[in-house]
Amino acid sequence: ELWMSLEEHQDALELIMSKYRKQMLQLLQGRKGEDAELVLEVHQANSVEIASEIDRICEMGEVMRKAVQVDDDQFFKVQEKLAQLELENKELRELLSISKESFEVGREDLPD
């Protein structure tokens, strides 16, 4: 779910940037060359900022992926331990049952 959310966020950023670039291109075409340099500088600054935000989002996604992996590993360890304990419990109950049966048989063999 986190990965899907991250991808949706990136898609939204790409859409915003494409609209922004389209408007900038229209603005550049409508203005003189002097104004174009200023607009290009602003555009480059914004592009750098958005690229850094995208990098941060990707890093956060990687951290989330690692956290999910750690959680999954922990879950599997707990499941394995539970299975071991259930098996041990079953074996101990069988031993107890055998012990009770042998005790009862021993009592029956005793004369009254």
Side-chain angles (χ1 to χ4, degrees), residues 62-90:
E62 187 63 30
V63 168
M64 288 178 202
R65 192 176 313 119
K66 287 179 183 178
V68 167
Q69 182 64 38
V70 168
D71 286 345
D72 287 347
D73 291 346
Q74 185 66 25
F75 174 77
F76 291 131
K77 286 179 184 178
V78 168
Q79 288 294 98
E80 183 179 348
K81 185 66 174 178
L82 181 62
Q84 288 174 349
L85 291 173
E86 287 175 346
L87 180 62
E88 183 180 343
N89 187 353
K90 180 181 175 185

PDB file of all heavy atoms in Angstrom, residues 62-90:
ATOM      1  N   GLU A  62      12.094   3.609   0.251  1.00  0.00           N
ATOM      2  CA  GLU A  62      13.075   2.562   0.539  1.00  0.00           C
ATOM      3  C   GLU A  62      13.092   2.232   2.031  1.00  0.00           C
ATOM      4  O   GLU A  62      13.147   1.060   2.416  1.00  0.00           O
ATOM      5  CB  GLU A  62      14.471   2.999   0.077  1.00  0.00           C
ATOM      6  CG  GLU A  62      15.515   1.924   0.187  1.00  0.00           C
ATOM      7  CD  GLU A  62      15.241   0.722  -0.686  1.00  0.00           C
ATOM      8  OE1 GLU A  62      14.626   0.873  -1.760  1.00  0.00           O
ATOM      9  OE2 GLU A  62      15.638  -0.382  -0.275  1.00  0.00           O
ATOM     10  N   VAL A  63      13.035   3.266   2.870  1.00  0.00           N
ATOM     11  CA  VAL A  63      12.997   3.047   4.320  1.00  0.00           C
ATOM     12  C   VAL A  63      11.735   2.271   4.696  1.00  0.00           C
ATOM     13  O   VAL A  63      11.788   1.333   5.506  1.00  0.00           O
ATOM     14  CB  VAL A  63      13.066   4.388   5.086  1.00  0.00           C
ATOM     15  CG1 VAL A  63      12.733   4.210   6.554  1.00  0.00           C
ATOM     16  CG2 VAL A  63      14.441   5.026   4.915  1.00  0.00           C
ATOM     17  N   MET A  64      10.607   2.634   4.096  1.00  0.00           N
ATOM     18  CA  MET A  64       9.355   1.930   4.385  1.00  0.00           C
ATOM     19  C   MET A  64       9.434   0.478   3.937  1.00  0.00           C
ATOM     20  O   MET A  64       8.962  -0.422   4.630  1.00  0.00           O
ATOM     21  CB  MET A  64       8.191   2.627   3.679  1.00  0.00           C
ATOM     22  CG  MET A  64       7.821   3.947   4.278  1.00  0.00           C
ATOM     23  SD  MET A  64       6.476   4.685   3.335  1.00  0.00           S
ATOM     24  CE  MET A  64       6.671   6.388   3.766  1.00  0.00           C
ATOM     25  N   ARG A  65      10.046   0.250   2.779  1.00  0.00           N
ATOM     26  CA  ARG A  65      10.179  -1.111   2.275  1.00  0.00           C
ATOM     27  C   ARG A  65      11.034  -1.947   3.232  1.00  0.00           C
ATOM     28  O   ARG A  65      10.716  -3.100   3.529  1.00  0.00           O
ATOM     29  CB  ARG A  65      10.808  -1.103   0.881  1.00  0.00           C
ATOM     30  CG  ARG A  65      10.720  -2.434   0.183  1.00  0.00           C
ATOM     31  CD  ARG A  65      11.259  -2.428  -1.253  1.00  0.00           C
ATOM     32  NE  ARG A  65      10.780  -1.325  -2.034  1.00  0.00           N
ATOM     33  CZ  ARG A  65      11.577  -0.386  -2.580  1.00  0.00           C
ATOM     34  NH1 ARG A  65      12.863  -0.440  -2.412  1.00  0.00           N
ATOM     35  NH2 ARG A  65      11.068   0.586  -3.293  1.00  0.00           N
ATOM     36  N   LYS A  66      12.113  -1.358   3.732  1.00  0.00           N
ATOM     37  CA  LYS A  66      12.973  -2.067   4.684  1.00  0.00           C
ATOM     38  C   LYS A  66      12.222  -2.341   5.984  1.00  0.00           C
ATOM     39  O   LYS A  66      12.370  -3.418   6.571  1.00  0.00           O
ATOM     40  CB  LYS A  66      14.241  -1.260   4.965  1.00  0.00           C
ATOM     41  CG  LYS A  66      15.213  -1.273   3.809  1.00  0.00           C
ATOM     42  CD  LYS A  66      16.455  -0.456   4.111  1.00  0.00           C
ATOM     43  CE  LYS A  66      17.382  -0.415   2.908  1.00  0.00           C
ATOM     44  NZ  LYS A  66      18.562   0.417   3.176  1.00  0.00           N
ATOM     45  N   ALA A  67      11.419  -1.380   6.437  1.00  0.00           N
ATOM     46  CA  ALA A  67      10.643  -1.572   7.667  1.00  0.00           C
ATOM     47  C   ALA A  67       9.646  -2.711   7.494  1.00  0.00           C
ATOM     48  O   ALA A  67       9.466  -3.532   8.407  1.00  0.00           O
ATOM     49  CB  ALA A  67       9.916  -0.277   8.047  1.00  0.00           C
ATOM     50  N   VAL A  68       9.011  -2.786   6.352  1.00  0.00           N
ATOM     51  CA  VAL A  68       8.068  -3.866   6.077  1.00  0.00           C
ATOM     52  C   VAL A  68       8.802  -5.207   6.068  1.00  0.00           C
ATOM     53  O   VAL A  68       8.314  -6.206   6.619  1.00  0.00           O
ATOM     54  CB  VAL A  68       7.332  -3.629   4.738  1.00  0.00           C
ATOM     55  CG1 VAL A  68       6.588  -4.869   4.282  1.00  0.00           C
ATOM     56  CG2 VAL A  68       6.383  -2.448   4.862  1.00  0.00           C
ATOM     57  N   GLN A  69       9.985  -5.232   5.482  1.00  0.00           N
ATOM     58  CA  GLN A  69      10.771  -6.471   5.439  1.00  0.00           C
ATOM     59  C   GLN A  69      11.146  -6.921   6.852  1.00  0.00           C
ATOM     60  O   GLN A  69      11.038  -8.101   7.182  1.00  0.00           O
ATOM     61  CB  GLN A  69      12.043  -6.272   4.596  1.00  0.00           C
ATOM     62  CG  GLN A  69      12.885  -7.515   4.473  1.00  0.00           C
ATOM     63  CD  GLN A  69      12.164  -8.626   3.729  1.00  0.00           C
ATOM     64  OE1 GLN A  69      11.452  -8.388   2.774  1.00  0.00           O
ATOM     65  NE2 GLN A  69      12.334  -9.858   4.186  1.00  0.00           N
ATOM     66  N   VAL A  70      11.552  -5.972   7.699  1.00  0.00           N
ATOM     67  CA  VAL A  70      11.899  -6.301   9.081  1.00  0.00           C
ATOM     68  C   VAL A  70      10.673  -6.839   9.820  1.00  0.00           C
ATOM     69  O   VAL A  70      10.762  -7.828  10.548  1.00  0.00           O
ATOM     70  CB  VAL A  70      12.488  -5.062   9.804  1.00  0.00           C
ATOM     71  CG1 VAL A  70      12.575  -5.287  11.304  1.00  0.00           C
ATOM     72  CG2 VAL A  70      13.857  -4.714   9.231  1.00  0.00           C
ATOM     73  N   ASP A  71       9.534  -6.186   9.619  1.00  0.00           N
ATOM     74  CA  ASP A  71       8.291  -6.653  10.250  1.00  0.00           C
ATOM     75  C   ASP A  71       7.933  -8.061   9.790  1.00  0.00           C
ATOM     76  O   ASP A  71       7.524  -8.906  10.589  1.00  0.00           O
ATOM     77  CB  ASP A  71       7.131  -5.705   9.950  1.00  0.00           C
ATOM     78  CG  ASP A  71       7.207  -4.415  10.735  1.00  0.00           C
ATOM     79  OD1 ASP A  71       7.984  -4.353  11.704  1.00  0.00           O
ATOM     80  OD2 ASP A  71       6.479  -3.464  10.375  1.00  0.00           O
ATOM     81  N   ASP A  72       8.076  -8.312   8.494  1.00  0.00           N
ATOM     82  CA  ASP A  72       7.783  -9.638   7.962  1.00  0.00           C
ATOM     83  C   ASP A  72       8.716 -10.685   8.554  1.00  0.00           C
ATOM     84  O   ASP A  72       8.278 -11.775   8.930  1.00  0.00           O
ATOM     85  CB  ASP A  72       7.896  -9.660   6.432  1.00  0.00           C
ATOM     86  CG  ASP A  72       6.744  -8.952   5.750  1.00  0.00           C
ATOM     87  OD1 ASP A  72       5.733  -8.667   6.433  1.00  0.00           O
ATOM     88  OD2 ASP A  72       6.848  -8.686   4.534  1.00  0.00           O
ATOM     89  N   ASP A  73       9.998 -10.350   8.636  1.00  0.00           N
ATOM     90  CA  ASP A  73      10.967 -11.285   9.223  1.00  0.00           C
ATOM     91  C   ASP A  73      10.614 -11.589  10.669  1.00  0.00           C
ATOM     92  O   ASP A  73      10.656 -12.747  11.102  1.00  0.00           O
ATOM     93  CB  ASP A  73      12.387 -10.712   9.140  1.00  0.00           C
ATOM     94  CG  ASP A  73      12.914 -10.647   7.716  1.00  0.00           C
ATOM     95  OD1 ASP A  73      12.313 -11.282   6.822  1.00  0.00           O
ATOM     96  OD2 ASP A  73      13.926  -9.948   7.489  1.00  0.00           O
ATOM     97  N   GLN A  74      10.259 -10.564  11.416  1.00  0.00           N
ATOM     98  CA  GLN A  74       9.887 -10.746  12.818  1.00  0.00           C
ATOM     99  C   GLN A  74       8.637 -11.617  12.933  1.00  0.00           C
ATOM    100  O   GLN A  74       8.556 -12.494  13.786  1.00  0.00           O
ATOM    101  CB  GLN A  74       9.658  -9.390  13.493  1.00  0.00           C
ATOM    102  CG  GLN A  74       9.393  -9.465  14.972  1.00  0.00           C
ATOM    103  CD  GLN A  74      10.588  -9.955  15.763  1.00  0.00           C
ATOM    104  OE1 GLN A  74      11.719  -9.820  15.342  1.00  0.00           O
ATOM    105  NE2 GLN A  74      10.339 -10.545  16.899  1.00  0.00           N
ATOM    106  N   PHE A  75       7.671 -11.378  12.067  1.00  0.00           N
ATOM    107  CA  PHE A  75       6.441 -12.167  12.068  1.00  0.00           C
ATOM    108  C   PHE A  75       6.746 -13.642  11.826  1.00  0.00           C
ATOM    109  O   PHE A  75       6.220 -14.519  12.511  1.00  0.00           O
ATOM    110  CB  PHE A  75       5.471 -11.641  11.004  1.00  0.00           C
ATOM    111  CG  PHE A  75       4.243 -12.471  10.836  1.00  0.00           C
ATOM    112  CD1 PHE A  75       3.209 -12.399  11.757  1.00  0.00           C
ATOM    113  CD2 PHE A  75       4.118 -13.342   9.757  1.00  0.00           C
ATOM    114  CE1 PHE A  75       2.075 -13.173  11.607  1.00  0.00           C
ATOM    115  CE2 PHE A  75       2.980 -14.118   9.597  1.00  0.00           C
ATOM    116  CZ  PHE A  75       1.959 -14.028  10.527  1.00  0.00           C
ATOM    117  N   PHE A  76       7.615 -13.925  10.844  1.00  0.00           N
ATOM    118  CA  PHE A  76       7.950 -15.305  10.540  1.00  0.00           C
ATOM    119  C   PHE A  76       8.691 -15.966  11.697  1.00  0.00           C
ATOM    120  O   PHE A  76       8.491 -17.152  11.979  1.00  0.00           O
ATOM    121  CB  PHE A  76       8.752 -15.408   9.247  1.00  0.00           C
ATOM    122  CG  PHE A  76       7.954 -15.068   8.020  1.00  0.00           C
ATOM    123  CD1 PHE A  76       8.444 -14.187   7.074  1.00  0.00           C
ATOM    124  CD2 PHE A  76       6.693 -15.619   7.810  1.00  0.00           C
ATOM    125  CE1 PHE A  76       7.704 -13.866   5.952  1.00  0.00           C
ATOM    126  CE2 PHE A  76       5.939 -15.311   6.690  1.00  0.00           C
ATOM    127  CZ  PHE A  76       6.456 -14.428   5.758  1.00  0.00           C
ATOM    128  N   LYS A  77       9.540 -15.216  12.385  1.00  0.00           N
ATOM    129  CA  LYS A  77      10.238 -15.767  13.550  1.00  0.00           C
ATOM    130  C   LYS A  77       9.241 -16.129  14.654  1.00  0.00           C
ATOM    131  O   LYS A  77       9.359 -17.176  15.287  1.00  0.00           O
ATOM    132  CB  LYS A  77      11.269 -14.764  14.077  1.00  0.00           C
ATOM    133  CG  LYS A  77      12.498 -14.648  13.212  1.00  0.00           C
ATOM    134  CD  LYS A  77      13.473 -13.626  13.779  1.00  0.00           C
ATOM    135  CE  LYS A  77      14.660 -13.440  12.850  1.00  0.00           C
ATOM    136  NZ  LYS A  77      15.593 -12.421  13.360  1.00  0.00           N
ATOM    137  N   VAL A  78       8.276 -15.252  14.882  1.00  0.00           N
ATOM    138  CA  VAL A  78       7.260 -15.512  15.904  1.00  0.00           C
ATOM    139  C   VAL A  78       6.424 -16.732  15.514  1.00  0.00           C
ATOM    140  O   VAL A  78       6.134 -17.594  16.356  1.00  0.00           O
ATOM    141  CB  VAL A  78       6.366 -14.270  16.126  1.00  0.00           C
ATOM    142  CG1 VAL A  78       5.143 -14.599  16.963  1.00  0.00           C
ATOM    143  CG2 VAL A  78       7.174 -13.149  16.780  1.00  0.00           C
ATOM    144  N   GLN A  79       6.051 -16.827  14.242  1.00  0.00           N
ATOM    145  CA  GLN A  79       5.266 -17.973  13.769  1.00  0.00           C
ATOM    146  C   GLN A  79       6.054 -19.270  13.949  1.00  0.00           C
ATOM    147  O   GLN A  79       5.501 -20.297  14.358  1.00  0.00           O
ATOM    148  CB  GLN A  79       4.890 -17.800  12.297  1.00  0.00           C
ATOM    149  CG  GLN A  79       3.843 -16.738  12.058  1.00  0.00           C
ATOM    150  CD  GLN A  79       2.519 -17.121  12.660  1.00  0.00           C
ATOM    151  OE1 GLN A  79       2.197 -16.676  13.744  1.00  0.00           O
ATOM    152  NE2 GLN A  79       1.757 -17.927  11.971  1.00  0.00           N
ATOM    153  N   GLU A  80       7.337 -19.237  13.648  1.00  0.00           N
ATOM    154  CA  GLU A  80       8.172 -20.426  13.792  1.00  0.00           C
ATOM    155  C   GLU A  80       8.271 -20.835  15.262  1.00  0.00           C
ATOM    156  O   GLU A  80       8.152 -22.011  15.597  1.00  0.00           O
ATOM    157  CB  GLU A  80       9.565 -20.139  13.221  1.00  0.00           C
ATOM    158  CG  GLU A  80      10.493 -21.327  13.264  1.00  0.00           C
ATOM    159  CD  GLU A  80      11.855 -21.022  12.669  1.00  0.00           C
ATOM    160  OE1 GLU A  80      12.020 -19.969  12.028  1.00  0.00           O
ATOM    161  OE2 GLU A  80      12.761 -21.850  12.861  1.00  0.00           O
ATOM    162  N   LYS A  81       8.487 -19.867  16.139  1.00  0.00           N
ATOM    163  CA  LYS A  81       8.587 -20.159  17.569  1.00  0.00           C
ATOM    164  C   LYS A  81       7.264 -20.734  18.087  1.00  0.00           C
ATOM    165  O   LYS A  81       7.255 -21.683  18.878  1.00  0.00           O
ATOM    166  CB  LYS A  81       8.951 -18.881  18.328  1.00  0.00           C
ATOM    167  CG  LYS A  81       9.197 -19.084  19.794  1.00  0.00           C
ATOM    168  CD  LYS A  81      10.427 -19.932  20.020  1.00  0.00           C
ATOM    169  CE  LYS A  81      10.762 -20.004  21.488  1.00  0.00           C
ATOM    170  NZ  LYS A  81      11.916 -20.859  21.736  1.00  0.00           N
ATOM    171  N   LEU A  82       6.144 -20.164  17.638  1.00  0.00           N
ATOM    172  CA  LEU A  82       4.828 -20.660  18.041  1.00  0.00           C
ATOM    173  C   LEU A  82       4.637 -22.111  17.599  1.00  0.00           C
ATOM    174  O   LEU A  82       4.156 -22.947  18.370  1.00  0.00           O
ATOM    175  CB  LEU A  82       3.727 -19.773  17.452  1.00  0.00           C
ATOM    176  CG  LEU A  82       2.296 -20.151  17.805  1.00  0.00           C
ATOM    177  CD1 LEU A  82       2.074 -20.053  19.306  1.00  0.00           C
ATOM    178  CD2 LEU A  82       1.323 -19.250  17.062  1.00  0.00           C
ATOM    179  N   ALA A  83       5.032 -22.427  16.389  1.00  0.00           N
ATOM    180  CA  ALA A  83       4.909 -23.790  15.886  1.00  0.00           C
ATOM    181  C   ALA A  83       5.776 -24.740  16.716  1.00  0.00           C
ATOM    182  O   ALA A  83       5.338 -25.857  17.054  1.00  0.00           O
ATOM    183  CB  ALA A  83       5.305 -23.857  14.419  1.00  0.00           C
ATOM    184  N   GLN A  84       6.980 -24.299  17.074  1.00  0.00           N
ATOM    185  CA  GLN A  84       7.851 -25.128  17.908  1.00  0.00           C
ATOM    186  C   GLN A  84       7.222 -25.376  19.278  1.00  0.00           C
ATOM    187  O   GLN A  84       7.246 -26.500  19.788  1.00  0.00           O
ATOM    188  CB  GLN A  84       9.218 -24.454  18.087  1.00  0.00           C
ATOM    189  CG  GLN A  84      10.078 -24.460  16.855  1.00  0.00           C
ATOM    190  CD  GLN A  84      11.361 -23.656  17.049  1.00  0.00           C
ATOM    191  OE1 GLN A  84      11.516 -22.926  18.025  1.00  0.00           O
ATOM    192  NE2 GLN A  84      12.272 -23.793  16.111  1.00  0.00           N
ATOM    193  N   LEU A  85       6.674 -24.333  19.880  1.00  0.00           N
ATOM    194  CA  LEU A  85       6.051 -24.470  21.192  1.00  0.00           C
ATOM    195  C   LEU A  85       4.822 -25.369  21.145  1.00  0.00           C
ATOM    196  O   LEU A  85       4.588 -26.165  22.062  1.00  0.00           O
ATOM    197  CB  LEU A  85       5.691 -23.096  21.764  1.00  0.00           C
ATOM    198  CG  LEU A  85       6.880 -22.220  22.170  1.00  0.00           C
ATOM    199  CD1 LEU A  85       6.399 -20.832  22.549  1.00  0.00           C
ATOM    200  CD2 LEU A  85       7.658 -22.856  23.310  1.00  0.00           C
ATOM    201  N   GLU A  86       4.028 -25.264  20.079  1.00  0.00           N
ATOM    202  CA  GLU A  86       2.853 -26.126  19.939  1.00  0.00           C
ATOM    203  C   GLU A  86       3.273 -27.585  19.815  1.00  0.00           C
ATOM    204  O   GLU A  86       2.665 -28.479  20.421  1.00  0.00           O
ATOM    205  CB  GLU A  86       2.019 -25.700  18.734  1.00  0.00           C
ATOM    206  CG  GLU A  86       1.251 -24.412  18.965  1.00  0.00           C
ATOM    207  CD  GLU A  86       0.527 -23.920  17.720  1.00  0.00           C
ATOM    208  OE1 GLU A  86       0.817 -24.411  16.608  1.00  0.00           O
ATOM    209  OE2 GLU A  86      -0.327 -23.038  17.865  1.00  0.00           O
ATOM    210  N   LEU A  87       4.324 -27.837  19.039  1.00  0.00           N
ATOM    211  CA  LEU A  87       4.818 -29.204  18.891  1.00  0.00           C
ATOM    212  C   LEU A  87       5.347 -29.733  20.227  1.00  0.00           C
ATOM    213  O   LEU A  87       5.047 -30.872  20.625  1.00  0.00           O
ATOM    214  CB  LEU A  87       5.920 -29.258  17.831  1.00  0.00           C
ATOM    215  CG  LEU A  87       6.535 -30.620  17.556  1.00  0.00           C
ATOM    216  CD1 LEU A  87       5.476 -31.583  17.032  1.00  0.00           C
ATOM    217  CD2 LEU A  87       7.686 -30.491  16.577  1.00  0.00           C
ATOM    218  N   GLU A  88       6.097 -28.920  20.935  1.00  0.00           N
ATOM    219  CA  GLU A  88       6.628 -29.309  22.238  1.00  0.00           C
ATOM    220  C   GLU A  88       5.485 -29.595  23.217  1.00  0.00           C
ATOM    221  O   GLU A  88       5.526 -30.578  23.966  1.00  0.00           O
ATOM    222  CB  GLU A  88       7.531 -28.208  22.787  1.00  0.00           C
ATOM    223  CG  GLU A  88       8.181 -28.539  24.107  1.00  0.00           C
ATOM    224  CD  GLU A  88       9.077 -27.423  24.613  1.00  0.00           C
ATOM    225  OE1 GLU A  88       9.464 -26.535  23.820  1.00  0.00           O
ATOM    226  OE2 GLU A  88       9.370 -27.440  25.822  1.00  0.00           O
ATOM    227  N   ASN A  89       4.462 -28.738  23.197  1.00  0.00           N
ATOM    228  CA  ASN A  89       3.304 -28.929  24.069  1.00  0.00           C
ATOM    229  C   ASN A  89       2.622 -30.269  23.766  1.00  0.00           C
ATOM    230  O   ASN A  89       2.269 -31.024  24.668  1.00  0.00           O
ATOM    231  CB  ASN A  89       2.333 -27.765  23.895  1.00  0.00           C
ATOM    232  CG  ASN A  89       1.189 -27.800  24.877  1.00  0.00           C
ATOM    233  OD1 ASN A  89       1.018 -28.740  25.628  1.00  0.00           O
ATOM    234  ND2 ASN A  89       0.387 -26.752  24.867  1.00  0.00           N
ATOM    235  N   LYS A  90       2.451 -30.558  22.498  1.00  0.00           N
ATOM    236  CA  LYS A  90       1.806 -31.816  22.090  1.00  0.00           C
ATOM    237  C   LYS A  90       2.620 -33.014  22.580  1.00  0.00           C
ATOM    238  O   LYS A  90       2.059 -33.979  23.118  1.00  0.00           O
ATOM    239  CB  LYS A  90       1.675 -31.849  20.566  1.00  0.00           C
ATOM    240  CG  LYS A  90       1.015 -33.103  20.048  1.00  0.00           C
ATOM    241  CD  LYS A  90       0.933 -33.072  18.526  1.00  0.00           C
ATOM    242  CE  LYS A  90       0.371 -34.384  18.015  1.00  0.00           C
ATOM    243  NZ  LYS A  90       0.375 -34.445  16.559  1.00  0.00           N
TER     244      LYS A  90
END
